[in-house]
Amino acid sequence: MAPVRRTARIAALVASLLACLIPHLLWKLTRQRSPWPRCFLALAARAIGARVERAGQPHDGDMVLLANHVSWIDILALGGSTGAAFVAHDGIARWPVIGWLAAQNNTLFVARERRGALSHQLDALRAAMQGHQPVALFPEGTTSDGSGLLPFKPSLLAVLLPPPRAVLIQPVHIDYGAATGEIAWHGDEPAGTNAWRVLGHKGPLVVTLRFLAPFDPASCADRKAIAATARDAIAASIALHQRPFASAPPSI
């Protein structure tokens, strides 16, 4: 039945895009922030079989979300739930269709390996934070297998000392429960292979967004302290809620 599930989910993804695209393009003519990218991300999450649940509440003021990173589904779930703009590697900007879609949600593309680029990237992030759209970062810099956390990269967190406007930082634990091993995209696995497996996933995929206690970056001595505070909170949540999970099955 996996081929049938994939076909149905791809069709639902396309329908979600078509339902949101024209209203979004028309909305942009008003020069106001469009609500349709958030709507598309939420619909896309459901289209691929994800059922997003929230534990805790997102901060209702200006915020920067720092989350663990397990899968490309993280973006659909977190973006659809909070309306956040993401910070992503600039290689994604060149992906057909996906790069354009990411740009519609005000994604900030950064080049982590390019020397001398950090100052420009911090300026771009400060400009992005001048609006009221939440900003989400994955400080690990890449996806993991979900069993724990990789080291947090604190370089972009320098923008929070001091922040360009009053914001709080809210750590988020993205939890796939027992399905983590099957869903996780890590190592050398090609994106297409992972997407093929996820689209064939049997049954609903429950994604729990655990919104942890927000904190003021001003309470931290430096960007490393910000990274450590957020990482410790997410690590504690992983340890509290972690359950045994099966490894990824071979693709069909």
Side-chain angles (χ1 to χ4, degrees):
M1 294 296 291
V4 175
R5 289 193 293 269
R6 292 188 184 104
T7 300
R9 287 168 177 170
I10 291 171
L13 273 173
V14 172
S16 300
L17 176 59
L18 294 178
C20 297
L21 181 59
I22 293 178
H24 167 65
L25 295 176
L26 292 174
W27 197 280
K28 288 185 68 175
L29 297 177
T30 68
R31 299 185 181 277
Q32 299 180 43
R33 194 176 88 201
S34 171
W36 291 100
R38 177 178 182 175
C39 182
F40 168 69
L41 292 172
L43 289 174
R46 290 195 65 85
I48 65 168
R51 298 296 177 264
V52 181
E53 298 180 352
R54 295 200 316 199
Q57 290 295 324
H59 174 58
D60 60 3
D62 291 333
M63 63 178 172
V64 174
L65 302 167
L66 302 182
N68 62 311
H69 199 13
V70 179
S71 167
W72 49 274
I73 306 171
D74 301 347
I75 296 171
L76 306 182
L78 190 57
S81 183
T82 66
F86 290 87
V87 177
H89 192 278
D90 63 348
I92 295 175
R94 296 187 290 272
W95 289 10
V97 182
I98 293 176
W100 183 84
L101 289 173
Q104 302 311 298
N105 192 45
N106 301 323
T107 297
L108 175 64
F109 298 107
V110 301
R112 294 187 181 93
E113 290 82 18
R114 191 178 303 161
R115 291 184 178 181
L118 180 59
S119 177
H120 172 73
Q121 291 164 6
L122 290 174
D123 288 343
L125 184 53
R126 287 189 187 95
M129 291 173 61
Q130 290 292 348
H132 290 279
Q133 184 174 10
V135 175
L137 292 86
F138 299 115
E140 292 168 289
T142 186
T143 50
S144 73
D145 65 5
S147 62
L149 289 174
L150 300 174
F152 276 18
K153 299 179 179 180
S155 56
L156 288 177
L157 300 181
V159 75
L160 296 168
L161 293 171
R165 64 182 306 130
V167 301
L168 291 184
I169 299 172
Q170 186 159 33
V172 183
H173 169 203
I174 303 176
D175 185 4
Y176 292 90
T180 300
E182 180 182 354
I183 297 305
W185 175 27
H186 64 104
D188 297 325
E189 183 182 27
T193 301
N194 181 269
W196 193 248
R197 185 174 72 249
V198 170
L199 290 171
H201 177 76
K202 184 178 180 180
L205 172 64
V206 177
V207 186
T208 304
L209 302 178
R210 303 188 184 279
F211 291 92
L212 308 176
F215 64 94
D216 188 339
S219 66
C220 298
D222 54 29
R223 64 188 184 183
K224 292 182 179 180
I226 293 175
T229 301
R231 190 180 189 280
D232 288 348
I234 297 171
S237 181
I238 291 174
L240 180 63
H241 297 98
Q242 192 172 63
R243 297 174 294 278
F245 53 79
S247 60
S251 297
I252 299 175

